[in-house]
Coordinates of all heavy atoms in Angstrom, one line a residue:
M28 N 70.8 56.9 171.4 CA 71.6 55.7 170.9 C 72.7 56.2 170.0 O 73.8 55.7 170.2 CB 70.6 54.8 170.2 CG 71.2 53.6 169.6 SD 71.6 52.5 171.0 CE 72.1 51.1 170.1
K29 N 72.4 57.1 169.2 CA 73.5 57.6 168.3 C 74.6 58.3 169.1 O 75.8 58.2 168.7 CB 72.9 58.6 167.2 CG 72.1 57.9 166.2 CD 71.6 58.9 165.1 CE 70.7 58.2 164.1 NZ 70.2 59.2 163.1
N30 N 74.2 59.1 170.1 CA 75.2 59.8 170.9 C 76.1 58.8 171.6 O 77.3 59.0 171.8 CB 74.5 60.7 171.9 CG 74.0 61.9 171.3 OD1 74.4 62.3 170.2 ND2 73.0 62.5 171.9
L31 N 75.5 57.7 172.1 CA 76.3 56.7 172.7 C 77.3 56.0 171.8 O 78.5 55.8 172.2 CB 75.4 55.6 173.3 CG 76.1 54.5 174.1 CD1 76.8 55.1 175.3 CD2 75.0 53.4 174.5
I32 N 76.9 55.8 170.5 CA 77.8 55.2 169.6 C 78.9 56.2 169.2 O 80.1 55.8 169.1 CB 77.0 54.8 168.3 CG1 76.1 53.6 168.6 CG2 78.0 54.4 167.2 CD1 75.2 53.3 167.5
K33 N 78.6 57.5 169.1 CA 79.6 58.5 168.8 C 80.6 58.6 169.9 O 81.8 58.8 169.6 CB 78.9 59.9 168.5 CG 78.2 60.0 167.2 CD 77.6 61.3 167.0 CE 76.8 61.4 165.7 NZ 76.2 62.8 165.5
K34 N 80.1 58.6 171.1 CA 81.1 58.7 172.3 C 82.0 57.4 172.3 O 83.1 57.5 172.8 CB 80.3 58.8 173.6 CG 79.6 60.2 173.7 CD 78.9 60.3 175.1 CE 78.2 61.6 175.2 NZ 77.5 61.7 176.5
A35 N 81.5 56.3 171.9 CA 82.3 55.1 172.0 C 83.3 55.1 170.9 O 84.4 54.5 171.1 CB 81.4 53.8 171.9
I36 N 83.0 55.6 169.7 CA 83.9 55.6 168.6 C 85.0 56.8 168.6 O 86.1 56.6 168.2 CB 83.1 55.7 167.3 CG1 82.3 54.4 167.1 CG2 84.0 55.9 166.1 CD1 81.4 54.4 165.9
K37 N 84.6 57.9 169.2 CA 85.5 59.1 169.2 C 86.9 58.9 169.7 O 87.8 59.4 169.0 CB 84.8 60.2 170.0 CG 85.5 61.5 169.9 CD 84.7 62.6 170.5 CE 85.4 63.9 170.3 NZ 84.6 65.1 170.9
P38 N 87.2 58.1 170.7 CA 88.6 57.9 171.1 C 89.5 57.2 170.1 O 90.7 57.3 170.1 CB 88.5 57.1 172.4 CG 87.1 57.2 172.9 CD 86.3 57.5 171.7
F39 N 88.8 56.5 169.1 CA 89.6 55.8 168.1 C 89.8 56.6 166.8 O 90.5 56.1 166.0 CB 88.9 54.4 167.9 CG 88.8 53.6 169.1 CD1 87.6 53.5 169.7 CD2 89.9 52.9 169.6 CE1 87.5 52.7 170.9 CE2 89.8 52.2 170.7 CZ 88.6 52.0 171.4
L40 N 89.2 57.7 166.7 CA 89.3 58.6 165.5 C 90.6 59.3 165.6 O 91.2 59.6 166.7 CB 88.1 59.6 165.4 CG 86.8 58.9 165.2 CD1 85.7 60.0 165.3 CD2 86.7 58.2 163.9
P41 N 91.2 59.7 164.4 CA 92.5 60.4 164.4 C 92.3 61.9 164.8 O 91.2 62.4 164.6 CB 92.9 60.3 162.9 CG 91.7 60.1 162.2 CD 90.7 59.3 163.1
S42 N 93.4 62.4 165.3 CA 93.3 63.9 165.6 C 93.9 64.7 164.4 O 94.7 64.1 163.6 CB 94.2 64.2 166.8 OG 95.5 63.7 166.6
Y43 N 93.5 65.9 164.3 CA 93.8 66.7 163.1 C 94.6 67.9 163.6 O 94.5 68.4 164.8 CB 92.6 67.2 162.4 CG 91.9 66.1 161.7 CD1 91.0 65.3 162.3 CD2 92.1 65.9 160.3 CE1 90.4 64.3 161.6 CE2 91.5 64.9 159.6 CZ 90.6 64.1 160.3 OH 90.0 63.1 159.6
E44 N 95.5 68.5 162.7 CA 96.4 69.6 163.1 C 96.7 70.3 161.8 O 97.0 69.8 160.8 CB 97.6 68.9 163.7 CG 98.7 69.9 164.2 CD 99.8 69.1 164.8 OE1 99.7 68.9 166.0 OE2 100.8 68.8 164.1
V45 N 96.7 71.7 162.0 CA 97.1 72.5 160.9 C 98.4 73.2 161.4 O 98.4 73.9 162.4 CB 96.1 73.6 160.5 CG1 96.6 74.5 159.4 CG2 94.8 72.9 160.0
T46 N 99.5 73.0 160.6 CA 100.8 73.6 161.0 C 101.2 74.6 160.0 O 101.2 74.4 158.8 CB 101.9 72.5 161.0 OG1 101.4 71.4 161.9 CG2 103.2 73.0 161.5
C47 N 101.6 75.8 160.4 CA 102.1 76.9 159.6 C 103.6 77.2 159.9 O 103.8 77.5 161.1 CB 101.2 78.1 159.7 SG 101.7 79.5 158.7
T48 N 104.5 77.0 159.0 CA 105.9 77.3 159.2 C 106.3 78.6 158.4 O 106.1 78.6 157.2 CB 106.7 76.1 158.7 OG1 106.3 74.9 159.3 CG2 108.2 76.3 159.1
T49 N 106.7 79.6 159.2 CA 107.1 80.8 158.6 C 108.6 80.9 158.6 O 109.2 80.8 159.7 CB 106.5 82.0 159.4 OG1 105.1 81.8 159.5 CG2 106.8 83.3 158.7
Y50 N 109.2 81.2 157.5 CA 110.7 81.3 157.4 C 111.0 82.8 157.3 O 110.4 83.6 156.6 CB 111.2 80.6 156.1 CG 110.9 79.1 156.2 CD1 109.8 78.6 155.6 CD2 111.8 78.3 156.8 CE1 109.6 77.2 155.6 CE2 111.6 76.9 156.9 CZ 110.5 76.4 156.3 OH 110.2 75.1 156.3
Q51 N 112.1 83.2 158.1 CA 112.5 84.6 158.1 C 113.9 84.6 157.4 O 114.9 84.0 157.9 CB 112.6 85.1 159.5 CG 113.0 86.5 159.6 CD 113.0 87.0 161.0 OE1 113.1 86.3 162.0 NE2 113.1 88.3 161.2
I52 N 114.0 85.3 156.3 CA 115.3 85.4 155.6 C 115.8 86.8 155.7 O 115.2 87.8 155.2 CB 115.0 85.0 154.1 CG1 114.4 83.6 154.0 CG2 116.3 85.1 153.3 CD1 114.0 83.2 152.7
I53 N 117.0 87.0 156.3 CA 117.6 88.2 156.4 C 119.0 88.0 155.9 O 119.8 87.2 156.3 CB 117.7 88.7 157.9 CG1 116.3 88.9 158.4 CG2 118.5 90.0 158.0 CD1 116.3 89.3 159.9
P54 N 119.4 88.8 154.8 CA 120.8 88.6 154.2 C 121.9 88.7 155.3 O 121.9 89.6 156.1 CB 120.8 89.7 153.2 CG 119.4 90.0 152.9 CD 118.7 89.8 154.1
G55 N 122.8 87.8 155.3 CA 123.9 87.8 156.2 C 123.7 87.1 157.5 O 124.6 86.9 158.2
L56 N 122.4 86.7 157.7 CA 122.1 86.0 159.0 C 121.6 84.6 158.6 O 121.1 84.4 157.5 CB 121.1 86.7 159.8 CG 121.5 88.1 160.4 CD1 120.3 88.8 161.0 CD2 122.6 87.9 161.3
P57 N 121.6 83.6 159.5 CA 121.1 82.3 159.2 C 119.5 82.4 159.1 O 118.9 83.2 159.7 CB 121.4 81.5 160.4 CG 122.0 82.3 161.4 CD 122.3 83.7 160.8
V58 N 119.0 81.5 158.2 CA 117.5 81.5 158.1 C 116.9 80.9 159.3 O 117.4 79.9 159.8 CB 117.2 80.6 156.8 CG1 115.7 80.5 156.7 CG2 117.8 81.2 155.6
T59 N 115.8 81.5 159.8 CA 115.1 81.1 161.0 C 113.7 80.7 160.6 O 113.2 81.2 159.6 CB 115.1 82.1 162.1 OG1 114.6 83.3 161.6 CG2 116.5 82.4 162.6
K60 N 113.1 79.8 161.4 CA 111.7 79.5 161.1 C 110.9 79.5 162.4 O 111.4 79.4 163.5 CB 111.6 78.1 160.5 CG 111.9 76.9 161.5 CD 111.7 75.6 160.8 CE 112.0 74.5 161.7 NZ 111.8 73.2 161.1
K61 N 109.6 79.8 162.3 CA 108.7 79.9 163.4 C 107.6 78.9 163.1 O 107.0 79.0 162.0 CB 108.2 81.3 163.7 CG 107.3 81.3 164.9 CD 106.9 82.8 165.1 CE 106.0 82.8 166.4 NZ 105.4 84.1 166.6
L62 N 107.3 78.0 164.0 CA 106.2 77.0 163.8 C 105.0 77.4 164.6 O 105.1 77.6 165.8 CB 106.8 75.7 164.2 CG 106.0 74.4 163.9 CD1 106.0 74.2 162.4 CD2 106.6 73.2 164.6
S63 N 103.8 77.5 163.9 CA 102.6 77.7 164.6 C 101.7 76.5 164.3 O 101.5 76.1 163.2 CB 101.9 79.0 164.0 OG 102.7 80.1 164.2
T64 N 101.1 76.0 165.4 CA 100.3 74.8 165.3 C 98.9 75.0 165.8 O 98.7 75.6 166.9 CB 100.9 73.6 166.1 OG1 102.3 73.4 165.6 CG2 100.2 72.3 165.9
H65 N 97.9 74.6 165.1 CA 96.5 74.7 165.6 C 95.9 73.3 165.6 O 95.8 72.6 164.5 CB 95.7 75.6 164.7 CG 94.3 75.9 165.2 ND1 94.1 76.9 166.1 CD2 93.1 75.3 165.0 CE1 92.8 76.9 166.4 NE2 92.2 76.0 165.8
S66 N 95.7 72.7 166.8 CA 95.2 71.4 166.9 C 93.7 71.3 167.1 O 93.1 72.2 167.6 CB 95.8 70.7 168.2 OG 97.2 70.7 168.1
F67 N 93.1 70.2 166.6 CA 91.7 70.0 166.6 C 91.5 68.7 167.4 O 92.3 67.8 167.5 CB 91.1 69.9 165.2 CG 91.2 71.2 164.4 CD1 92.3 71.4 163.7 CD2 90.2 72.1 164.5 CE1 92.4 72.6 162.9 CE2 90.3 73.3 163.8 CZ 91.4 73.5 163.0
E68 N 90.3 68.6 167.9 CA 89.9 67.3 168.7 C 89.8 66.2 167.7 O 89.7 66.3 166.5 CB 88.7 67.6 169.5 CG 87.4 67.8 168.7 CD 86.2 68.1 169.6 OE1 86.4 68.7 170.6 OE2 85.2 67.7 169.2
K69 N 89.7 65.0 168.3 CA 89.6 63.8 167.5 C 88.4 63.8 166.7 O 87.3 64.1 167.2 CB 89.7 62.6 168.4 CG 91.0 62.4 169.1 CD 91.1 61.2 169.9 CE 92.4 61.0 170.5 NZ 93.2 59.9 169.9
G70 N 88.5 63.4 165.4 CA 87.3 63.3 164.5 C 86.8 64.6 164.0 O 85.8 64.6 163.3
A71 N 87.5 65.7 164.2 CA 87.1 67.0 163.7 C 87.6 67.3 162.3 O 88.2 68.3 162.1 CB 87.5 68.1 164.7
S72 N 87.4 66.4 161.4 CA 87.9 66.6 160.1 C 87.3 67.8 159.3 O 88.0 68.5 158.6 CB 87.7 65.3 159.2 OG 86.4 65.1 159.0
K73 N 86.0 68.0 159.5 CA 85.4 69.1 158.8 C 85.9 70.4 159.2 O 86.3 71.3 158.4 CB 83.9 69.0 159.0 CG 83.1 70.1 158.3 CD 81.6 70.0 158.6 CE 80.8 71.1 157.9 NZ 79.4 71.0 158.2
E74 N 86.1 70.6 160.5 CA 86.6 71.9 161.1 C 88.1 72.1 160.6 O 88.4 73.2 160.3 CB 86.5 71.9 162.6 CG 85.1 72.0 163.1 CD 84.4 70.6 163.3 OE1 85.1 69.6 163.0 OE2 83.3 70.5 163.7
A75 N 88.9 71.0 160.7 CA 90.3 71.2 160.3 C 90.4 71.5 158.8 O 91.2 72.4 158.4 CB 91.0 69.9 160.6
K76 N 89.6 70.9 158.0 CA 89.7 71.1 156.5 C 89.2 72.5 156.2 O 89.8 73.2 155.3 CB 88.9 70.1 155.7 CG 89.6 68.7 155.8 CD 88.8 67.7 155.0 CE 89.5 66.3 155.1 NZ 88.7 65.3 154.5
E77 N 88.2 73.0 156.9 CA 87.7 74.4 156.7 C 88.8 75.4 157.1 O 89.0 76.4 156.4 CB 86.4 74.6 157.4 CG 85.2 74.0 156.8 CD 84.0 74.2 157.7 OE1 84.0 74.8 158.7 OE2 82.9 73.6 157.3
F78 N 89.4 75.2 158.3 CA 90.5 76.1 158.8 C 91.7 76.1 157.8 O 92.2 77.1 157.5 CB 90.9 75.6 160.2 CG 91.9 76.6 160.8 CD1 91.5 77.8 161.3 CD2 93.2 76.2 160.9 CE1 92.4 78.6 161.9 CE2 94.1 77.1 161.5 CZ 93.7 78.3 162.0
Y79 N 92.1 74.9 157.3 CA 93.2 74.8 156.4 C 92.8 75.6 155.1 O 93.7 76.3 154.6 CB 93.4 73.3 156.0 CG 94.5 73.2 154.9 CD1 95.8 73.2 155.2 CD2 94.1 72.9 153.6 CE1 96.8 73.1 154.2 CE2 95.0 72.7 152.6 CZ 96.3 72.8 152.9 OH 97.2 72.7 151.9
G80 N 91.6 75.5 154.6 CA 91.2 76.2 153.4 C 91.2 77.7 153.6 O 91.6 78.5 152.7
K81 N 90.8 78.2 154.8 CA 90.9 79.6 155.1 C 92.3 80.1 155.2 O 92.6 81.2 154.7 CB 90.2 79.9 156.4 CG 88.7 79.8 156.4 CD 88.1 80.0 157.7 CE 86.6 79.8 157.7 NZ 86.0 80.0 159.0
V82 N 93.2 79.3 155.8 CA 94.6 79.8 155.9 C 95.2 79.8 154.5 O 95.9 80.8 154.2 CB 95.4 78.8 156.8 CG1 96.9 79.1 156.8 CG2 94.9 78.9 158.3
V83 N 95.0 78.8 153.7 CA 95.6 78.8 152.4 C 95.1 79.9 151.5 O 95.9 80.5 150.7 CB 95.4 77.4 151.7 CG1 95.8 77.3 150.3 CG2 96.2 76.3 152.5
S84 N 93.8 80.2 151.5 CA 93.2 81.2 150.6 C 93.4 82.6 151.2 O 93.0 83.5 150.5 CB 91.7 80.9 150.4 OG 91.0 81.0 151.6
S85 N 93.9 82.8 152.3 CA 94.1 84.1 152.9 C 95.1 84.9 152.2 O 96.2 84.4 151.9 CB 94.5 84.0 154.4 OG 94.8 85.2 155.0
D86 N 94.8 86.2 152.0 CA 95.8 87.1 151.4 C 97.0 87.4 152.3 O 98.1 87.6 151.9 CB 95.1 88.4 151.0 CG 94.2 88.3 149.8 OD1 94.3 87.4 149.0 OD2 93.2 89.1 149.7
F87 N 96.7 87.4 153.6 CA 97.8 87.6 154.6 C 98.8 86.5 154.5 O 100.0 86.8 154.6 CB 97.2 87.7 156.0 CG 98.2 87.9 157.1 CD1 98.8 89.2 157.2 CD2 98.6 86.9 157.9 CE1 99.7 89.4 158.2 CE2 99.5 87.1 158.9 CZ 100.1 88.4 159.0
T88 N 98.4 85.3 154.4 CA 99.3 84.2 154.3 C 100.2 84.3 153.0 O 101.4 84.0 153.0 CB 98.6 82.8 154.2 OG1 97.7 82.7 155.4 CG2 99.5 81.6 154.2
K89 N 99.6 84.7 151.9 CA 100.3 84.8 150.7 C 101.3 86.0 150.7 O 102.4 85.9 150.1 CB 99.4 85.1 149.5 CG 98.5 83.8 149.3 CD 97.5 84.1 148.2 CE 96.6 82.8 148.1 NZ 95.4 83.1 147.2
K90 N 101.0 87.0 151.5 CA 101.9 88.2 151.6 C 103.1 87.9 152.6 O 104.1 88.6 152.6 CB 101.2 89.4 152.0 CG 100.3 89.9 151.0 CD 99.5 91.1 151.5 CE 98.5 91.6 150.4 NZ 97.7 92.8 150.9
L91 N 102.9 86.9 153.4 CA 103.8 86.6 154.5 C 105.0 85.7 154.0 O 105.8 85.2 154.8 CB 103.1 85.9 155.6 CG 103.7 85.8 157.0 CD1 104.0 87.1 157.6 CD2 102.9 84.9 157.9
A92 N 105.1 85.4 152.7 CA 106.0 84.5 152.1 C 107.4 84.7 152.6 O 107.8 85.8 152.9 CB 105.9 84.5 150.6
P93 N 108.2 83.7 152.7 CA 107.9 82.2 152.5 C 107.2 81.5 153.6 O 107.7 81.7 154.8 CB 109.3 81.7 152.2 CG 110.2 82.6 152.9 CD 109.6 83.9 153.0
V94 N 106.2 80.8 153.3 CA 105.3 80.1 154.3 C 105.0 78.8 153.8 O 104.8 78.6 152.6 CB 104.0 80.9 154.6 CG1 103.1 80.2 155.5 CG2 104.3 82.3 155.1
E95 N 104.9 77.8 154.7 CA 104.5 76.4 154.4 C 103.4 76.0 155.3 O 103.5 76.2 156.5 CB 105.7 75.5 154.5 CG 105.5 74.1 154.1 CD 106.8 73.3 154.2 OE1 107.6 73.6 155.1 OE2 106.9 72.4 153.4
V96 N 102.2 75.6 154.7 CA 101.1 75.2 155.5 C 100.8 73.8 155.3 O 100.8 73.3 154.1 CB 99.8 76.1 155.1 CG1 98.6 75.7 156.0 CG2 100.1 77.6 155.2
Q97 N 100.6 73.0 156.4 CA 100.3 71.6 156.3 C 99.1 71.2 157.1 O 98.8 71.7 158.1 CB 101.5 70.8 156.8 CG 102.8 71.0 156.1 CD 103.9 70.3 156.8 OE1 103.9 69.9 157.9 NE2 105.0 70.2 156.1
L98 N 98.3 70.3 156.5 CA 97.2 69.6 157.2 C 97.6 68.2 157.5 O 97.9 67.4 156.7 CB 95.9 69.6 156.3 CG 94.7 68.9 156.9 CD1 94.2 69.5 158.2 CD2 93.6 68.9 155.9
K99 N 97.6 67.9 158.8 CA 98.1 66.6 159.3 C 97.0 65.9 160.0 O 96.2 66.4 160.7 CB 99.3 66.8 160.3 CG 100.5 67.4 159.7 CD 101.6 67.5 160.7 CE 102.8 68.1 160.1 NZ 103.9 68.2 161.1
V100 N 97.0 64.6 159.7 CA 96.0 63.6 160.4 C 96.9 62.6 161.1 O 97.6 61.9 160.4 CB 95.1 63.0 159.3 CG1 94.2 62.0 160.0 CG2 94.3 64.0 158.6
A101 N 96.8 62.6 162.4 CA 97.6 61.6 163.2 C 99.1 61.7 162.9 O 99.8 60.7 162.8 CB 97.0 60.2 163.0
G102 N 99.6 62.9 162.6 CA 101.0 63.1 162.4 C 101.4 62.9 161.0 O 102.6 63.1 160.6
I103 N 100.5 62.5 160.1 CA 100.9 62.3 158.7 C 100.3 63.5 157.8 O 99.1 63.8 157.9 CB 100.3 61.0 158.2 CG1 100.8 59.8 159.0 CG2 100.5 60.8 156.7 CD1 100.2 58.5 158.7
T104 N 101.1 64.1 157.0 CA 100.7 65.2 156.2 C 99.9 64.7 155.0 O 100.3 63.9 154.3 CB 101.9 66.0 155.7 OG1 102.7 66.4 156.8 CG2 101.5 67.2 154.8
I105 N 98.6 65.3 154.9 CA 97.8 64.9 153.8 C 97.6 66.0 152.8 O 97.4 65.7 151.6 CB 96.4 64.4 154.3 CG1 95.6 65.4 155.1 CG2 96.5 63.1 155.1 CD1 94.2 65.1 155.3
K106 N 97.7 67.2 153.2 CA 97.7 68.4 152.3 C 98.8 69.3 152.6 O 99.1 69.5 153.8 CB 96.4 69.1 152.4 CG 95.2 68.4 151.8 CD 94.0 69.3 151.7 CE 92.8 68.6 151.1 NZ 91.6 69.5 151.1
K107 N 99.4 70.0 151.6 CA 100.5 70.9 151.8 C 100.5 72.0 150.8 O 100.2 71.7 149.6 CB 101.8 70.1 151.7 CG 103.0 70.8 152.0 CD 104.2 69.9 151.6 CE 105.4 70.0 152.4 NZ 106.4 69.1 152.1
A108 N 100.7 73.2 151.3 CA 100.7 74.4 150.4 C 101.9 75.2 150.8 O 102.2 75.3 152.0 CB 99.4 75.2 150.4
H109 N 102.6 75.8 149.9 CA 103.7 76.7 150.2 C 103.7 77.9 149.3 O 103.2 77.8 148.2 CB 105.0 76.0 150.2 CG 105.4 75.4 148.8 ND1 105.0 74.2 148.4 CD2 106.1 76.0 147.8 CE1 105.5 74.0 147.2 NE2 106.1 75.1 146.8
Y110 N 104.2 79.0 149.9 CA 104.3 80.3 149.1 C 105.7 80.8 149.3 O 106.2 80.8 150.4 CB 103.3 81.3 149.7 CG 101.8 80.8 149.6 CD1 101.2 80.3 150.7 CD2 101.2 80.8 148.4 CE1 99.9 79.9 150.7 CE2 99.9 80.4 148.3 CZ 99.2 79.9 149.5 OH 98.0 79.4 149.4
G111 N 106.3 81.1 148.2 CA 107.7 81.6 148.3 C 108.7 80.6 147.9 O 108.3 79.4 147.6
P112 N 109.9 80.9 147.9 CA 111.0 80.0 147.5 C 111.4 79.0 148.5 O 112.6 78.9 148.9 CB 112.1 81.0 147.1 CG 112.0 82.1 148.1 CD 110.5 82.2 148.3
I113 N 110.5 78.2 149.0 CA 110.8 77.2 150.1 C 111.7 76.1 149.6 O 112.6 75.6 150.3 CB 109.5 76.6 150.7 CG1 108.9 77.8 151.5 CG2 109.8 75.5 151.6 CD1 107.6 77.4 152.1
E114 N 111.6 75.7 148.3 CA 112.4 74.6 147.7 C 113.9 75.0 147.7 O 114.7 74.1 147.8 CB 112.0 74.2 146.3 CG 110.5 73.8 146.2 CD 109.6 75.0 146.0 OE1 110.0 76.0 145.5 OE2 108.4 74.8 146.3
N115 N 114.2 76.3 147.6 CA 115.6 76.7 147.5 C 116.3 76.8 148.8 O 117.5 77.1 148.9 CB 115.6 78.1 146.8 CG 115.0 78.0 145.4 OD1 114.9 76.9 144.8 ND2 114.6 79.1 144.9
L116 N 115.5 76.7 149.9 CA 116.2 76.9 151.3 C 116.9 75.6 151.7 O 116.4 74.5 151.4 CB 115.1 77.2 152.3 CG 114.3 78.5 152.1 CD1 113.2 78.6 153.2 CD2 115.2 79.7 152.2
D117 N 118.0 75.8 152.3 CA 118.8 74.6 152.8 C 118.3 74.3 154.2 O 118.6 75.0 155.1 CB 120.3 74.9 152.8 CG 121.1 73.8 153.2 OD1 120.6 72.6 153.3 OD2 122.3 73.9 153.4
K118 N 117.4 73.4 154.3 CA 116.6 73.1 155.5 C 117.6 72.5 156.6 O 117.2 72.6 157.8 CB 115.5 72.2 155.3 CG 114.4 72.8 154.4 CD 113.1 72.1 154.4 CE 112.2 72.9 153.5 NZ 110.8 72.5 153.6
A119 N 118.7 72.1 156.3 CA 119.7 71.6 157.3 C 120.3 72.7 158.1 O 120.7 72.5 159.3 CB 120.8 70.8 156.7
K120 N 120.3 73.9 157.6 CA 120.9 75.1 158.2 C 119.9 76.0 158.9 O 120.3 77.0 159.4 CB 121.8 75.9 157.2 CG 123.0 75.1 156.7 CD 123.8 75.9 155.7 CE 125.0 75.2 155.2 NZ 125.8 76.0 154.3
I121 N 118.7 75.7 158.9 CA 117.6 76.6 159.4 C 117.6 76.4 160.9 O 117.5 75.3 161.5 CB 116.3 76.3 158.8 CG1 116.3 76.6 157.3 CG2 115.2 77.1 159.4 CD1 115.1 76.3 156.5
Q122 N 117.5 77.5 161.6 CA 117.4 77.5 163.1 C 115.9 77.8 163.5 O 115.3 78.6 162.9 CB 118.3 78.6 163.7 CG 119.7 78.4 163.4 CD 120.6 79.6 163.9 OE1 120.0 80.6 164.3 NE2 121.9 79.4 163.9
A123 N 115.5 77.1 164.5 CA 114.1 77.3 165.0 C 114.0 78.4 166.0 O 114.9 78.5 166.8 CB 113.6 76.0 165.6
L124 N 113.0 79.2 165.9 CA 112.7 80.3 166.9 C 111.7 79.8 167.9 O 110.7 79.1 167.5 CB 112.2 81.5 166.2 CG 113.1 82.4 165.4 CD1 112.4 83.5 164.8 CD2 114.2 82.9 166.3
N125 N 111.8 80.1 169.1 CA 110.8 79.6 170.1 C 110.0 80.8 170.6 O 110.2 81.9 170.7 CB 111.5 78.9 171.3 CG 112.0 77.6 170.9 OD1 111.5 77.0 169.9 ND2 113.0 77.1 171.5

């Protein structure tokens, strides 16, 4: 009975996503950014929050500065962490890398 209820509710739960934006700053060249996204299935809030916590607390992430990490629920950012001088970047002039 519980499984039936969970299966009926699951399509209406929000999806979760952890997005990591890495900025590359080389003097004399335009600032570029690389976007890495890790998506979770609908209703996987526990797994998404644990993954976000691991990424934010990682020493590798802190050494990779400038980095911006976001936890999104249904496209809305609920948690955000950044390392490095992200506030000082002119985001209108940043080019995306694919």
Side-chain angles (χ1 to χ4, degrees):
M28 181 72 171
K29 288 183 182 180
N30 287 337
L31 183 61
I32 293 172
K33 287 182 182 179
K34 287 181 182 179
I36 293 175
K37 190 172 183 176
F39 301 103
L40 294 174
S42 58
Y43 290 82
E44 179 178 274
V45 176
T46 305
C47 182
T48 308
T49 307
Y50 297 94
Q51 183 178 18
I52 302 171
I53 300 174
L56 295 175
V58 176
T59 55
K60 70 177 180 179
K61 183 177 180 186
L62 190 68
S63 301
T64 304
H65 190 84
S66 300
F67 295 88
E68 62 184 36
K69 292 183 175 253
S72 64
K73 183 179 177 183
E74 293 86 0
K76 289 177 182 177
E77 286 177 1
F78 184 76
Y79 174 80
K81 287 179 184 179
V82 171
V83 170
S84 64
S85 171
D86 289 335
F87 181 74
T88 303
K89 293 174 184 173
K90 291 178 183 177
L91 197 63
V94 175
E95 186 174 32
V96 183
Q97 299 174 342
L98 175 61
K99 295 182 180 182
V100 177
I103 300 170
T104 303
I105 59 170
K106 287 187 179 179
K107 184 187 215 180
H109 62 273
Y110 302 101
I113 292 177
E114 300 89 21
N115 300 340
L116 299 177
D117 185 9
K118 295 195 179 192
K120 294 182 180 180
I121 295 176
Q122 297 177 349
L124 288 175
N125 291 331

